[in-house]
Amino acid sequence: MSPSDAHFSPKASRRILGPVFGVACFLATMTGVVFLSILLGAVLRAASQGATLAETFDLLGRLARSTRSRDPDLAGFKAGIAGSLWLLGLVFALAIPVGVGAAVFLEEYMPPGRLRRVIQMNIANLAAVPSIVYGILGLAVFVRGLGSSRLAMGSALIAGGLTLALLVLPVVVIATQEALRTVPSSLRQAAMALGATKWQVIRDHVFPSALPGVLTGAILSLSRAIGETAPLLMVGAAATKVPTGLKDRFTALPVEIYKYASEANPKFQVVAAGGILLLLALLLTMNATAIIIRNRYGRSARG
Amino acid sequence: MSAPTVDADPAVLPETLWAGRSRMLMIQETLIGPFLFFCALVTVVTTAGIVLVLGTEAFRFFQMPEVSAVDFFFGTKIEDDPVSPRFGLLPLLWGTFVIAFGSSIVALPIGLLSAIYLSEYAPRRLRSVLKPALELLAGVPTIVYGYLALLLVTPVLKRLLEPLGLRVETFNSLSACLVVGVMVIPMVSSLSEDVLSAVPRGLREAAYGLGATKFEVSTRIVLPAALSGVTASFILAISRAVGETMAVVLAAGIRPQITLNPLTSIETMTAYIVAVTNGDASEGSAKYQSLFAVGLSLFAITLVLNILSGLVLRRYREVYN
């Protein structure tokens, strides 16, 4: 506190109310952190059942190696993990290029005006559409091909990938736009003045300096795609085998967790907890990477 | 307005003055624009696709002989009768409302208080640890929250409330409200914190200069100045709770009923959609088609909330220069 505080003596009620409020705010902030620890602790305990750390790792290894089964001692997530990795690749290949392209178009090519505002509002709304609505869209358009049997893909991996790609597209666009906006316009003008074409300016100068922001957005959107369950349930992710191609039926890690968690046999709860540990390990690593990239490279551009 | 003077020979076109442009570059330059435009178009097509799919399929549902639109919007019963099935939206709306309301009671105050803490009270060092932690929490998938409700929240509720003579069902809306509330806290706090931090320093310093305490500055200066943004974040959080699926399916179950008792099972619109797809309803049956009508209603509700949040943000924003 500064020395002037010595001369400042508010009424007792004002003196007390402030600190009480401060403590309340602090406690509110800590609920998140506390909850995260409780969550990890509870899942860890459910998965390990009092076993040692090494045994828990053995369990996770076993779960990662075996496929779905009616016997909780043999059940595992191999098909789900394989499906989720396929989906990760598909979303990466589909949503990131299109999302980044759309953001570059909106920020660098499209003149500001009414149309741009409308598209911008549309993207903001899309980002807040419930994921299950994307599931309905995927079901109607990709799985059933709008009723025509030639367009219908069935509950194939590619249908799931396309659905998730549409789901995360607005997130990619918004994150990339924010990253592009932090690039100072003097950089563009300098490159233009040296005779670079518009695309050269974007490709060689604007994009590289926006890359940390773009990467952060890309990783966060991929981790969102990995954790989604509802749209995949709608698309019909219920296979029990590891998919080998884009037209195979598939399943995903969170979908399998859901299936195991809704089993009546309590032994399956251990399996579900193990699956959640696998999923959280993957997701928290991805998100932490994204946050670190942003904090390391994003700060200078922001200030 | 006079045209800019060009010193070059007017007979030579500006393009030919510059010889640095290769054919490859020109092809790139002409193709990239349309390609990027196509990318942007995908987002517009997605919206159109959602509206068209939900609209046409819901229309087909209402055209069915066993379905009446009046019964759908005002009916209070969902019955799977083969001869005269009933599709009343009201129990599902009620379930959705209960979850949205209950989770708001948890999430809005805690989210706002933590936003105030992060923007006004927290030392810089602590803030740089807490913000990423909240972001990590926001990255936890909803299925995990649902599982946690089953594993932890409901058993704790049972242990606390059953000695008091209250019957707690395995699937109950209270535990769903709690986990969905915790789930949206990071969203409220990070969106609110952004707008609170954006309030200019000058306002705070002027208030301190007049002898206000930190509490008074936070609640009477900063919060009112950022009220539009805070309200917008509240509305978005409610919209998120309305659209939440997996946590609700696992925690609150799938029994459509209108009840004030938070310890019994309910069914939200999202849970109904999941239940119909995973159930035995055959494609093209009235029950199957009803998921599109429910989906359309869900989409409409969240759309209205999202637009409302955008309007509040723009219409009531205090502008500082």
Side-chain angles (χ1 to χ4, degrees):
Chain A
M1 287 283 156
S2 54
S4 63
D5 279 3
H7 305 286
F8 173 59
S9 54
K11 274 192 299 186
S13 61
R14 289 177 71 198
R15 264 206 313 260
I16 294 166
L17 206 54
V20 168
F21 182 72
V23 170
C25 288
F26 176 71
L27 290 178
T29 315
M30 292 315 281
T31 49
V33 181
V34 168
F35 187 82
L36 193 61
S37 345
I38 292 179
L39 187 151
L40 288 175
V43 174
L44 205 58
R45 225 190 78 194
S48 66
Q49 298 285 332
T52 61
L53 201 61
E55 283 170 329
T56 311
F57 270 113
D58 281 349
L59 173 80
L60 291 185
R62 200 202 78 210
L63 288 177
R65 278 193 306 273
S66 40
T67 50
R68 190 166 162 74
S69 161
R70 289 191 177 281
D71 181 355
D73 292 325
L74 298 175
F77 295 96
K78 191 177 175 191
I81 292 171
S84 281
L85 291 178
W86 271 97
L87 289 172
L88 189 69
L90 279 174
V91 173
F92 181 78
L94 294 167
I96 308 291
V98 175
V100 171
V104 169
F105 183 79
L106 287 174
E107 282 301 309
E108 309 287 332
Y109 280 79
M110 196 165 194
R114 197 195 195 107
L115 187 62
R116 193 174 128 171
R117 269 211 314 281
V118 169
I119 295 183
Q120 203 70 65
M121 223 177 83
N122 171 44
I123 291 173
N125 277 328
L126 272 182
V129 167
S131 60
I132 192 149
V133 172
Y134 284 96
I136 299 179
L137 180 71
L139 174 69
V141 176
F142 303 130
V143 176
R144 302 196 329 197
L146 292 170
S148 98
S149 54
R150 280 175 65 207
L151 288 174
M153 301 170 186
S155 298
L157 196 51
I158 181 76
L162 283 166
T163 307
L164 286 186
L166 286 185
L167 171 72
V168 300
L169 188 63
V171 185
V172 181
V173 177
I174 292 171
T176 309
Q177 277 188 299
E178 272 169 15
L180 290 174
R181 270 180 220 145
T182 61
V183 178
S185 53
S186 56
L187 193 69
R188 295 183 183 86
Q189 287 153 5
M192 288 265 186
L194 291 174
T197 62
K198 188 160 194 168
W199 173 238
Q200 280 178 323
V201 173
I202 294 167
R203 187 191 62 193
D204 299 339
H205 302 283
V206 177
F207 196 70
S209 81
L211 196 60
V214 176
L215 268 181
T216 308
I219 299 175
L220 286 180
S221 63
L222 287 177
S223 85
R224 165 124 194 249
I226 287 271
E228 277 297 345
T229 318
L232 294 178
L233 280 178
M234 300 296 299
V235 173
T240 51
K241 277 186 281 185
V242 175
T244 53
L246 289 179
K247 289 187 172 169
D248 279 10
R249 292 177 62 81
F250 73 106
T251 186
L253 187 51
V255 174
E256 292 214 300
I257 293 171
Y258 168 65
K259 297 265 154 96
Y260 286 130
S262 21
E263 295 270 358
N265 183 347
K267 282 185 103 178
F268 276 114
Q269 298 309 313
V270 182
V271 179
I276 285 179
L277 280 184
L278 292 172
L279 182 65
L280 281 182
L282 182 63
L283 283 180
L284 294 184
T285 316
M286 286 172 73
N287 287 3
T289 314
I291 292 169
I292 288 170
I293 291 179
R294 191 195 46 206
N295 287 0
R296 169 123 356 136
Y297 300 99
R299 198 140 291 156
S300 58
R302 247 192 158 185
Chain B
M1 279 295 195
S2 65
T5 48
V6 180
D7 289 335
D9 181 1
V12 184
L13 288 169
E15 286 101 285
T16 49
L17 277 177
W18 177 43
R21 184 179 288 183
S22 71
R23 178 164 296 174
M24 185 64 195
L25 208 59
M26 261 159 70
I27 295 174
Q28 264 187 15
E29 201 67 26
T30 44
L31 286 186
I32 204 73
F35 170 73
L36 295 177
F37 172 72
F38 164 78
C39 292
L41 204 62
V42 172
T43 61
V44 179
V45 172
T46 310
T47 312
I50 291 174
V51 173
L52 276 180
V53 163
L54 290 177
T56 52
E57 298 284 335
F59 182 73
R60 216 179 281 173
F61 169 71
F62 288 125
Q63 291 298 97
M64 290 181 156
E66 60 265 54
V67 177
S68 88
V70 176
D71 193 41
F72 178 77
F73 286 111
F74 300 103
T76 55
K77 280 202 171 64
I78 295 186
E79 276 167 10
D80 208 5
D81 193 87
V83 187
S84 62
R86 305 279 302 274
F87 302 99
L89 186 65
L90 288 182
L92 303 180
L93 266 179
W94 174 253
T96 302
F97 171 77
V98 166
I99 298 296
F101 183 76
S103 60
S104 303
I105 291 180
V106 176
L108 303 189
I110 295 183
L112 179 59
L113 286 182
S114 71
I116 292 176
Y117 183 78
L118 287 173
S119 109
E120 306 299 314
Y121 284 80
R124 181 175 285 220
R125 188 70 72 68
L126 187 60
R127 195 183 120 113
S128 65
V129 179
L130 284 177
K131 274 206 85 166
L134 279 177
E135 280 172 294
L136 279 187
L137 195 64
V140 174
T142 66
I143 178 90
V144 177
Y145 285 95
Y147 177 76
L148 200 73
L150 278 184
L151 177 81
L152 197 69
V153 179
T154 305
V156 167
L157 285 178
K158 276 193 173 167
R159 193 168 300 170
L160 286 178
L161 297 176
E162 299 227 304
L164 303 174
L166 297 165
R167 217 181 80 74
V168 182
E169 292 184 9
T170 310
F171 298 107
N172 63 79
S173 49
L174 182 59
S175 86
C177 288
L178 289 174
V179 289
V180 174
V182 171
M183 203 176 84
V184 294
I185 287 176
M187 184 178 177
V188 178
S189 70
S190 83
L191 288 176
S192 299
E193 200 256 341
D194 285 345
V195 282
L196 290 175
S197 311
V199 173
R201 273 183 77 90
L203 277 184
R204 293 189 182 84
E205 279 161 6
Y208 282 129
L210 292 172
T213 61
K214 190 153 210 161
F215 167 67
E216 286 160 349
V217 172
S218 307
T219 54
R220 297 196 201 156
I221 306 293
V222 179
L223 191 56
L227 199 60
S228 72
V230 171
T231 316
S233 82
F234 281 6
I235 300 175
L236 274 185
I238 294 171
S239 151
R240 172 94 194 271
V242 166
E244 172 42 40
T245 311
M246 293 322 290
V248 175
V249 170
L250 276 175
I254 45 170
R255 174 139 46 91
Q257 59 174 344
I258 300 179
T259 168
L260 277 171
N261 183 356
L263 303 176
T264 56
S265 171
I266 51 161
E267 182 170 38
T268 63
M269 300 162 90
T270 50
Y272 178 79
I273 296 172
V274 169
V276 169
T277 6
N278 282 13
D280 49 6
S282 58
E283 237 173 76
S285 68
K287 188 175 181 194
Y288 187 83
Q289 285 296 325
S290 72
L291 83 85
F292 293 100
V294 174
L296 183 64
S297 318
L298 175 70
F299 177 69
I301 293 173
T302 52
L303 187 68
V304 167
L305 287 172
N306 299 338
I307 290 176
L308 197 65
S309 143
L311 279 183
V312 167
L313 195 59
R314 241 168 303 135
R315 190 66 53 84
Y316 299 102
R317 182 168 49 196
E318 313 256 336
V319 180
Y320 306 102
N321 288 318

